[in-house]
Amino acid sequence: HSVKMVAAPKKTKEAIAKAAQAGGGKGKKKKWSKVKAKEKVNNFVLFDQELYKKVVAEVPKQKLITPSSLAEKFKLNGSLARQAIQHLYEKGLIRKVSNHHSQLIYTRATAVKEEEEAAASTKK
């Protein structure tokens, strides 16, 4: 079996030149997509009396207390959130769950008493 190769029809020089001008090359240069700028968050760096009262009133009611949750909710910066947690812990309003070096995890203090009471009543 011999297969014959059919030659592509020869183009004239004018046709080749026309094709090169028409569709060849790169065309338009690729544009970089614009990156959306993250808006600046103006978080508090110090407590004023109003903010302090709000934090002391509301934080001990939360189930999960972390620096990031406080920063998000009360518009505090991270270091202020950590100080607030430390302050509430020393006052006995919240309870430590985990003290990882980067993420402190606390919960409300009432949960401890309820758990201890429940544990004590089941032992009887």
Side-chain angles (χ1 to χ4, degrees), residues 54-123:
K54 191 174 164 190
V55 168
V56 169
E58 290 184 32
V59 171
K61 295 174 189 160
Q62 294 179 334
K63 266 188 178 167
L64 175 69
I65 303 164
T66 62
S68 27
S69 68
L70 293 197
E72 189 74 25
K73 189 170 183 189
F74 299 107
K75 293 266 183 270
L76 309 175
N77 71 359
S79 59
L80 189 59
R82 285 196 307 272
Q83 287 179 349
I85 285 177
Q86 191 59 44
H87 178 71
L88 291 167
Y89 180 65
E90 284 166 5
K91 284 177 101 178
L93 296 171
I94 60 178
R95 167 175 82 100
K96 188 180 288 186
V97 176
S98 163
N99 195 358
H100 188 266
H101 69 90
S102 62
Q103 190 70 315
L104 310 163
I105 302 173
Y106 290 80
T107 190
R108 48 191 180 189
T110 55
V112 177
K113 292 169 192 149
E114 289 169 10
E115 285 170 17
E116 287 172 356
E117 286 170 13
S121 64
T122 54
K123 286 179 184 173

Side-chain angles (χ1 to χ4, degrees), residues 28-33:
K28 282 186 185 169
K29 212 173 189 184
K30 185 178 180 296
K31 295 268 195 299
W32 287 100
S33 57

Side-chain angles (χ1 to χ4, degrees), residues 19-27:
Q21 272 190 336
K26 289 183 180 171

